[in-house]
Amino acid sequence: MKAQALHGHLDALLLAVLERGALHGYAIIEALRARSGGTLDLPTGTIYPALRRLERAGLVASTWSTVNGRERRTYELTDAGGRALAGERAGWRDFSATVGRFLGADEPPAAPA
Amino acid sequence: MKAQALHGHLDALLLAVLERGALHGYAIIEALRARSGGTLDLPTGTIYPALRRLERAGLVASTWSTVNGRERRTYELTDAGGRALAGERAGWRDFSATVGRFLGADEPPAAPA
DNA sequence: GCACGACAAGTAGCGTTGCTACGCATGAAG
DNA sequence: CTTCATGCGTAGCAACGCTACTTGTCGTGC
């Protein structure tokens, strides 16, 4: 993939990653990369501002800690964040079903590959 | 759906609609609405500029005609447009698979609904 | 001691994209 | 004559993600 162009679904992705447990920014990038099989390799300039956006919106909460002299900001999903994630999931389903209807290959009727 | 937020996939949608045959702008809007079950109701200010973008990129070609005194610009997929559409399809598959891995419900392992 | 790379966070500025809100014109219907 | 559906189009805006850059610590190699 082009690795970019998450186009509005970044927030959902971030929430989904944090759903499995609190992580700090750098670790989130690595989690995204690992869980996507290397497809999603997002630069810090993409996720840090997104994380702050989510925090301002009250969907995640952050706590600072120092590990080996290095400052870490660990992000955690809030209740509102969990609800938002559920909404994003529904939205994604809608979106992918709709676009998939035009671009095909979203709901193969019989056997996939 | 929110009706907006096609987020980068508008071009692919447009190409997909034109794949089934040439249409003029207004008809494209209606085709999008019909084929999406009313979900996609795009304003002219969204599709006309997009169409011109695609034309400038050589993915569609337009021809003017007059129907009942009304000017119509009919758009048609070019060869390059067809190839681009194939690429967009592949890209969409990748994208939806990747995001789906996080947001779930994209490739149900067994029986869907 | 010093440089360099991995870890960790962050900002500034930019370009693309789609949306809102308009404007213009014609033909049919009332 | 006014209104509505058809039909095309532009201007300006806001959001989003990306590139590029900065700051700082720790560990390793020279």
Side-chain angles (χ1 to χ4, degrees), chain A:
Chain A
M1 203 157 80
K2 288 84 52 112
Q4 55 267 61
L6 278 314
H7 291 306
H9 301 103
L10 213 212
D11 292 7
L13 251 24
L14 258 12
L15 295 176
V17 168
L18 289 176
E19 194 187 23
R20 297 202 174 171
L23 290 173
H24 63 281
Y26 201 85
I28 290 176
I29 296 177
E30 292 179 329
L32 248 4
R33 189 169 41 217
R35 237 172 110 184
S36 69
T39 302
L40 294 174
D41 196 1
L42 307 179
T44 67
T46 290
I47 71 118
Y48 287 125
L51 250 7
R52 320 200 101 227
R53 200 163 53 216
L54 291 175
E55 185 168 30
R56 246 184 302 130
L59 305 182
V60 302
S62 69
T63 44
W64 282 97
S65 57
T66 305
V67 177
N68 278 346
R70 288 203 200 88
E71 297 288 303
R72 274 186 183 173
R73 173 123 90 161
T74 302
Y75 292 90
E76 193 179 0
L77 211 56
T78 63
D79 276 6
R83 284 190 298 272
L85 177 54
E88 294 279 9
R89 279 215 160 90
W92 166 254
R93 233 182 259 219
D94 244 9
F95 176 76
S96 72
T98 301
V99 177
R101 202 171 309 168
F102 291 88
L103 263 19
D106 202 280
E107 295 180 71

Side-chain angles (χ1 to χ4, degrees), chain B residues 44-113:
Chain B
T44 67
T46 290
I47 72 118
Y48 287 126
L51 251 6
R52 320 200 100 229
R53 200 162 54 217
L54 291 176
E55 186 167 29
R56 245 186 303 129
L59 305 182
V60 302
S62 69
T63 44
W64 283 99
S65 57
T66 307
V67 177
N68 280 344
R70 288 204 201 87
E71 297 287 305
R72 274 189 184 172
R73 174 124 88 159
T74 301
Y75 292 91
E76 192 180 1
L77 210 58
T78 63
D79 277 5
R83 284 191 297 274
L85 177 54
E88 295 278 10
R89 279 216 160 89
W92 166 255
R93 232 182 260 220
D94 244 11
F95 176 75
S96 72
T98 301
V99 177
R101 201 171 308 169
F102 290 88
L103 262 19
D106 202 279
E107 294 180 74

Side-chain angles (χ1 to χ4, degrees), chain B residues 10-61:
Chain B
L10 213 212
D11 293 6
L13 252 23
L14 258 13
L15 295 176
V17 168
L18 290 176
E19 194 187 22
R20 298 201 174 172
L23 291 173
H24 63 280
Y26 201 84
I28 289 176
I29 295 177
E30 292 178 331
L32 248 3
R33 189 169 40 219
R35 238 173 110 184
S36 69
T39 302
L40 293 175
D41 196 1
L42 306 179
T44 67
T46 290
I47 72 118
Y48 287 126
L51 251 6
R52 320 200 100 229
R53 200 162 54 217
L54 291 176
E55 186 167 29
R56 245 186 303 129
L59 305 182
V60 302

